[in-house]
Amino acid sequence: MKITNARLIVCSPGRNFVTIKIETDEGIYGLGDATLNGREGAVASYLQDHLIPCLIGRNPFDIEDIWQYFYKGAYWRRGPVTMSAIGAIDMALWDIKGKALQTPVYNLLGGKSRQRMLCYTHANGRTLDDTLEKVAEKMEMGFEAIRVQSGVPGLEKIYGVAEKGKAYEPAIRDGLPYEETWDTAKYLRFVPKLLEKVRDTFGEDLHLLHDSHHRLTPVEAARLGKELEAYDLFWLEDTIAAELQQGFRLIRQHTTTPLAVGEVFNTIFDCQQLITEQLIDYIRMTVSHGGGITPMQKIASLAELYQVKTGCHGASDMSPICLAACLHLNLSINNFGIQEYMGYPDLTEEVFPHGYYFERGFLYLTDQPGLGVDIDEDLAAKHPYQQAYLPVNRLTDGTLYNW
Ligand code: KDG
Ligand code: MG
C-alpha cells in the first residue's frame, strides 16, 4: 500500500478544527486531528509545507518509521506545533492500518483491557449555587466523575466558567484575545468552600476533580492540596506552570491530594521527571498534542512502571477524531485512569460522525475498523475557519500572568 495524497480540512462547525485526510492507492483513507487551539494555522502550515510533501509514496503501515522520520529527521524537535502535526499524521496512519486489516485500532495496540471507560465532565457556574445546579444536572445525565469550576467572588471572569446558558468555550472567534483578571488570594479563599459544599451536597460516591489551570506557585499549590484533602478529590489538576517539573516535589511533600498535569505537554521528556520521581498520579497528555498514538503508548508504558495512570485531555477543542484515538489507547492499556469528556455541539457531531458513545458515566467503543470516525466534508465546507484566540490573563495590577 502507498500513500498517494494527503490534504487538510480546516473548518469551524461551532469552533475551529484542523483535520488531515491521508489517502492511499487502495482507496482506504485515514483521518487525524491537528487542532491546536488558537494556533490552528501554524499546524496547518507545518503539515502542508513541510510534512505532507515527505509522506507521498510511503507505505502507511510503517508507522514507527514515519513517526521517527518526522521527529528525529526534522532536527528541530518537540514543541506543540510540531508535535500536533506529527500526531495528526500518526493517528491517520493507525486509522488506515485498522481499516486495511478490518479491525479497531485497539486490537492493534494489544486488545481490550476493559469493557468501558470512566469519563469525567465539567460542571461550572458563575456562583456557587449555579455550580451546584450544574453538578446536579450532570449527575442526572449519569456522570460519576465531575470537574467543578466556579466564578470566584470579586473576580469578573475566570477560567472554566461559561457565559450563562452557553457551553464553556475559551477561544473567542472574533477579534484579538480578551483579557481576564486573576487574584490568587481570592481564589485560594474560595475553592475549599466550593468543594466542601459540593461534597456535602452530593455525598461521598461522586468523583470530584478541579483544575487550577497553572496559576499557583508550588507553596500555594501545596496549601490548596492540603486544604482539599478532606473533600477527597479524584484529582487536583494543573496547579503550577508545568515547565517547572521539580516544583512538584514541594507540592508532593505536603499533600496526599492526587495530582494531575500534562495537557500542555508534547513529548515524554516533559513528564519524564514527574513520572519517574512519582510526583504525579495522572498524566494528562492527549494523543493529538502528544505526537500521536505511537509516542503515547510509550508514555503510558513508562507511567505504568511508576503506578501513574492516564487521564487524557479531552476538552472540546480536540476533535472527535482525537477523542476516538484516546479511547482506543485507553481501552488497550492497563494503567488507564479516566477520560475527560465534555461532549460536542450537535453541528460538530454531524461533521464528525463516530462510533464511540457515552452511556451512564462511561464511554464505549464499537468494533468499527480503524478509529471509527469519519468527516462530512460538504458540511465542513459550509463552516469555514474563523480566526480565534485563547484569552490572556493579568493580575489586578496589570501584570501579565498565566492563563
Ligand atoms: O485550549 C485550552 C483548553 O483545552 C484547556 O484550557 C482545557 O484545561 C482544560 C481542560 O482541563 O480541559
Ligand atoms: Mg486543564
Side-chain angles (χ1 to χ4, degrees):
M1 193 187 282
K2 271 193 170 30
I3 296 172
T4 49
N5 191 28
R7 52 199 178 79
L8 298 177
I9 302 150
V10 185
C11 62
S12 197
R15 67 155 358 274
N16 291 324
F17 292 112
V18 180
T19 305
I20 190 168
K21 184 167 187 175
I22 300 181
E23 295 163 347
T24 65
D25 57 354
E26 294 188 16
I28 294 172
Y29 62 85
L31 298 173
D33 178 23
T35 311
L36 184 64
N37 205 358
R39 294 292 184 270
E40 293 85 358
V43 185
S45 151
Y46 194 81
L47 279 163
Q48 192 65 59
D49 299 335
H50 305 292
L51 303 193
I52 288 177
C54 306
L55 258 184
I56 312 303
R58 288 180 188 275
N59 180 347
F61 271 40
D62 296 342
I63 298 176
E64 176 73 24
D65 185 64
I66 292 175
W67 191 89
Q68 298 292 348
Y69 184 90
F70 287 133
Y71 179 76
K72 288 188 182 154
Y75 185 62
W76 310 109
R77 297 181 189 180
R78 306 168 67 183
V81 173
T82 303
M83 299 311 292
S84 299
I86 300 176
I89 290 176
D90 186 79
M91 253 180 267
L93 297 181
W94 283 102
D95 193 27
I96 290 172
K97 190 176 277 194
K99 287 172 178 164
L101 300 176
Q102 283 292 305
T103 194
V105 167
Y106 63 74
N107 273 339
L108 306 176
L109 304 177
K112 281 187 184 176
S113 284
R114 60 193 51 75
Q115 300 307 314
R116 56 187 192 162
M117 292 159 272
L118 179 66
C119 63
Y120 74 91
T121 195
H122 297 186
N124 61 80
R126 294 185 70 78
T127 64
L128 204 158
D129 285 342
D130 287 352
T131 307
L132 293 177
E133 247 177 60
K134 291 287 175 206
V135 174
E137 252 175 48
K138 302 290 174 170
M139 287 178 74
E140 194 59 33
M141 290 166 73
F143 284 100
E144 297 182 6
I146 300 181
R147 188 191 89 158
V148 178
Q149 308 291 135
S150 169
V152 170
L155 290 181
E156 170 85 29
K157 255 189 170 171
I158 184 167
Y159 165 76
V161 178
E163 302 285 328
K164 212 166 174 64
K166 290 190 181 164
Y168 180 63
E169 172 53 73
I172 300 297
R173 294 185 295 175
D174 184 16
L176 296 174
Y178 69 87
E179 298 196 358
E180 296 179 349
T181 314
W182 179 250
D183 183 327
T184 300
K186 286 190 169 62
Y187 169 81
L188 284 178
R189 271 198 300 275
F190 176 71
V191 169
K193 291 181 204 152
L194 167 72
L195 287 156
E196 179 185 22
K197 188 72 187 170
V198 176
R199 182 57 83 207
D200 284 355
T201 311
F202 298 102
E204 61 187 13
D205 284 339
L206 182 63
H207 295 304
L208 288 179
L209 301 86
H210 178 72
D211 188 348
S212 298
H213 223 254
H214 321 277
R215 291 166 185 204
L216 306 177
T217 63
V219 79
E220 289 163 350
R223 169 182 151 192
L224 182 63
K226 255 167 94 166
E227 288 183 20
L228 295 182
E229 277 170 20
Y231 316 121
D232 189 20
L233 261 58
F234 187 96
W235 78 37
L236 177 61
E237 174 181 339
D238 283 350
T239 49
I240 61 173
E243 293 96 325
L244 186 66
Q245 294 192 36
Q246 63 269 41
F248 280 80
R249 288 194 192 129
L250 191 144
I251 310 171
R252 201 56 154 177
Q253 279 159 11
H254 290 281
T255 180
T256 56
T257 291
L259 301 172
V261 74
E263 65 183 43
V264 296
F265 294 169
N266 42 72
T267 69
I268 198 164
F269 301 105
D270 299 329
C271 56
Q272 182 182 15
Q273 183 182 5
L274 295 174
I275 291 173
T276 58
E277 289 190 30
Q278 297 168 64
L279 301 178
I280 55 170
D281 301 281
Y282 295 91
I283 179 69
R284 296 258 302 129
M285 289 174 66
T286 198
V287 171
S288 56
H289 305 151
I293 292 172
T294 301
M296 285 292 289
Q297 262 195 314
K298 298 173 189 179
I299 290 164
S301 296
L302 176 71
E304 185 184 357
L305 292 180
Y306 296 93
Q307 303 189 7
V308 172
K309 292 183 180 174
T310 62
C312 288
H313 185 205
S316 47
D317 50 85
M318 280 136 283
S319 86
I321 302 169
C322 177
L323 179 62
C326 291
L327 295 179
H328 284 273
L329 178 76
N330 294 341
L331 204 62
S332 69
I333 57 177
N334 181 260
N335 56 329
F336 164 70
I338 198 167
Q339 173 64 51
E340 182 178 18
Y341 175 66
M342 294 170 69
Y344 297 95
D346 291 346
L347 183 58
T348 309
E349 300 271 357
E350 279 173 52
V351 169
F352 297 99
H354 53 78
Y356 68 77
Y357 63 96
F358 168 82
E359 204 175 273
R360 306 266 355 134
F362 290 82
L363 287 161
Y364 295 79
L365 276 171
T366 54
D367 57 5
Q368 281 177 289
L371 294 174
V373 185
D374 212 339
I375 185 163
D376 179 337
E377 291 191 56
D378 294 335
L379 186 56
K382 292 189 181 132
H383 301 277
Y385 169 78
Q386 294 176 28
Q387 187 171 48
Y389 283 99
L390 284 170
V392 296
N393 203 17
R394 289 186 189 275
L395 300 180
T396 48
D397 69 357
T399 308
L400 197 84
Y401 201 59
N402 307 324
W403 177 71

